[in-house]
């Protein structure tokens, strides 16, 4: 009888790491990202630039913040200012007593496109960004993002 109980307990603990992330009960952290887009040579604001934001491996920030009301992309206003919202999956693995939900993004990738300018991809290491806010509601203020005119020969 003790061997049977031991076997059942052993099998349960052996299967514990196989728990799928799809069934994780971790909340998504919300990041509000702000900044400006400017012309590289004149340092003037670029209006109507389109920006896409991705954390880490792109999979963790899937479009629409996992079916929330937020859009896939964001645009700058007439002053070149943008305010974007992106979500990050905090799941960091299964544990003995449930899911570990303490993952933080390591990298933020921004893809910017605007009429008359070359499309640009900028990658920020989150260690070097000032990230503020609550546990699941963060703010990131990015430095100005510069775009090069498409006729600049690059």
């Amino acid at each position: 009888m003790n061997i049977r109980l031991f076997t059942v307990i052993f099998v349960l603990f052996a299967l514990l790491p196989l728990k799928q992330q799809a069934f994780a009960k971790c909340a998504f952290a919300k990041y509000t990202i702000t900044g400006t887009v400017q012309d590289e040579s004149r340092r003037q604001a670029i209006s109507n630039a389109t920006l896409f934001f991705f954390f880490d491996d792109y999979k963790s920030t899937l479009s629409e913040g996992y079916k929330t009301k937020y859009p896939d992309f964001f645009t700058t206003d007439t002053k070149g200012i943008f305010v974007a919202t992106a979500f990050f999956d905090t799941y960091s693995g299964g544990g003995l007593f449930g899911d570990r939900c303490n993952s933080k993004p390591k990298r933020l990738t921004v893809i910017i496109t605007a009429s008359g300018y070359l499309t640009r991809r900028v990658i920020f290491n989150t260690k070097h960004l000032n990230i503020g806010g609550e546990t699941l509601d963060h703010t990131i203020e990015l430095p100005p993002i510069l775009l090069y005119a498409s006729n600049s020969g690059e």
Side-chain angles (χ1 to χ4, degrees), residues 21 26-31 59-61 65-66 87-90 136-137:
Q21 180 178 352
C26 297
F28 287 87
K30 176 183 171 186
Y31 288 82
K59 183 177 84 174
S60 59
T61 13
Y66 282 92
F87 290 84
F88 183 76
D89 187 353
T90 61
L136 293 174
D137 194 3

Side-chain angles (χ1 to χ4, degrees), residues 19-151:
K19 186 166 51 167
Q20 295 292 321
Q21 180 178 352
F23 301 111
K25 297 189 178 34
C26 297
F28 287 87
K30 176 183 171 186
Y31 288 82
T32 301
I33 306 162
T34 61
T36 61
V37 178
Q38 300 175 353
D39 180 283
E40 185 273 333
S41 61
R42 295 176 288 162
R43 304 285 188 207
Q44 293 178 340
I46 299 175
S47 61
N48 294 320
T50 303
L51 298 98
F52 301 86
F53 296 87
F54 303 95
F55 285 116
D56 292 347
D57 63 359
Y58 300 92
K59 183 177 84 174
S60 59
T61 13
L62 293 175
S63 64
E64 299 182 41
Y66 282 92
K67 304 198 186 313
T68 65
K69 62 183 177 181
Y70 300 101
D72 293 345
F73 62 90
F74 302 86
T75 56
T76 57
D77 65 12
T78 56
K79 295 179 182 175
I81 297 171
F82 62 85
V83 177
T85 304
F87 290 84
F88 183 76
D89 187 353
T90 61
Y91 177 81
S92 59
L96 190 57
F97 299 106
D99 297 326
R100 291 190 317 265
C101 304
N102 57 2
S103 183
K104 293 184 171 43
K106 294 175 182 64
R107 205 172 46 248
L108 172 63
T109 302
V110 184
I111 298 172
I112 314 100
T113 184
S115 180
Y117 293 89
L118 298 172
T119 298
R120 182 162 184 215
R121 180 179 68 171
V122 182
I123 300 173
F124 296 96
N125 182 333
T126 57
K127 286 182 185 178
H128 305 294
L129 294 175
N130 184 16
I131 300 176
E134 303 285 325
T135 306
L136 293 174
D137 194 3
H138 305 279
T139 57
I140 300 174
E141 188 173 335
L142 295 178
I145 297 173
L146 305 177
L147 292 185
Y148 301 94
S150 60
N151 60 4

